[in-house]
Amino acid sequence: MMQPSFLQIASTFKAVFLDSYGVIKNYNGLIEGVPQAIESLREKGIAIRILTNDASRSQEQQAEGFYKLGLKSIQYHEIITSGMMAKQYLQHKILHGKIGYLGTENSAQYILQSGLEHIAVKDINLDDINDITAFVFLDDEGFDWNYDISKTVNLLRRKNIPVIVANSDKLYPVSKNDVAVATGGIAKLVENMLTKKFIHFGKPDSQMFMYAFDELNQFGTFNKNEILMVGDTLHTDVLGGNKFGVKTMLVLSGNTRADHADAQIDASGIIPDFICSSIGI
């Protein structure tokens, strides 16, 4: 059943975790009413953290992007990205060799700062891969879809190395009715072809929620039952929040359409605690 007001529900919590794309912004920019909703949360003393599976930009770049859209109150420490989690893993686990990647140079510069050399899959010579010690799916741009995905498959067939997926999203909306394939969708395709299991970061896995929870508690004392996770996707935002043990809200301003929501909830078994049209309404 549709709940009457995001703010009415959110006001009963001490902290709100917000997904970014589909909740705060979309293909048109900021979703209507979002700046006012964010300001209302701040006036009530409710802590805000943005949890995004966008691994292509740093916290500072994300905050700058919100500022340019007109949302000027978001601080970089309030943003937690799946790229941060992947970056930490690489820094601690991959200690030698080169890291191959599929994605843009910008995201590679941000995530692959482990002190090791990184190399785009288009520049890898498949006959000389001894020094490739890990591979990362970064984002869905910056490569030739007709050539580099197949090259990735052949690299990973030839060499058994850790494979990291920095963004688990399978798709994202590009208009009211249409979506595009995201990094997680490409990775899942390759994973299924190779019958291998990659290392996924971002929602619905718990690393990002745990990081956000620990970071939040540096500024006060927060229990899980005092936190609301708000997202537009059942299989990432809502499932991740449910698994972590916080209350969850599905908003219908992004990936999940109002006319499909009930059927998708029934089919998936992923049940949000609340459903609203948008945080801006």
Side-chain angles (χ1 to χ4, degrees), residues 163-230:
V163 182
I164 294 90
V165 183
N167 179 346
S168 295
D169 285 353
K170 296 178 183 178
L171 49 82
Y172 60 93
V174 293
S175 71
K176 183 177 180 180
N177 296 312
D178 296 325
V179 298
V181 178
T183 318
I186 302 170
K188 182 58 68 174
L189 171 68
V190 177
E191 210 172 17
N192 288 341
M193 283 191 290
L194 298 175
T195 62
K196 291 186 177 182
K197 185 65 177 175
F198 299 161
I199 302 165
H200 291 255
F201 290 97
K203 299 164 291 183
D205 294 312
S206 294
Q207 301 100 324
M208 187 185 297
F209 290 93
M210 181 60 72
Y211 184 97
F213 183 71
D214 289 344
E215 190 272 343
L216 187 65
N217 273 283
Q218 295 178 17
F219 296 86
T221 302
F222 296 83
N223 298 315
K224 289 184 180 181
N225 61 6
E226 297 172 319
I227 299 172
L228 175 68
M229 174 67 212
V230 183

Side-chain angles (χ1 to χ4, degrees), residues 230-242:
V230 183
D232 67 316
T233 307
L234 289 170
H235 286 88
T236 55
D237 307 311
V238 176
L239 177 59
N242 286 349

Side-chain angles (χ1 to χ4, degrees), residues 1-3 6 9 22-23 228-239 242 247-258 260-262 264-265 268 270-279:
M1 177 181 292
M2 193 75 67
Q3 302 293 329
F6 161 74
I9 297 164
V23 176
L228 175 68
M229 174 67 212
V230 183
D232 67 316
T233 307
L234 289 170
H235 286 88
T236 55
D237 307 311
V238 176
L239 177 59
N242 286 349
K247 293 292 186 181
T248 55
M249 174 186 288
L250 176 70
V251 291
L252 307 177
S253 51
N255 268 330
T256 306
R257 292 172 43 176
H260 294 166
D262 289 341
Q264 290 183 18
I265 291 169
S268 67
I270 303 169
I271 303 172
D273 295 289
F274 310 100
I275 304 177
C276 281
S277 295
S278 164
I279 72 167

Side-chain angles (χ1 to χ4, degrees), residues 4-19 23-25 30-50 70-74 78 228 230 249 251 253 276-281:
S5 165
F6 161 74
L7 284 175
Q8 182 180 0
I9 297 164
S11 295
T12 65
F13 292 88
K14 287 180 61 177
V16 176
F17 291 169
L18 298 168
D19 182 31
V23 176
I24 296 175
K25 63 181 180 177
L30 289 181
I31 293 172
E32 185 178 358
V34 163
Q36 294 86 348
I38 297 278
E39 184 60 30
S40 293
L41 294 177
R42 294 201 187 280
E43 289 176 355
K44 296 176 186 296
I46 297 169
I48 296 168
R49 295 295 183 272
I50 297 172
L71 192 58
K72 300 183 178 182
S73 68
I74 301 298
E78 294 178 316
L228 175 68
V230 183
M249 174 186 288
V251 291
S253 51
C276 281
S277 295
S278 164
I279 72 167
I281 296 177

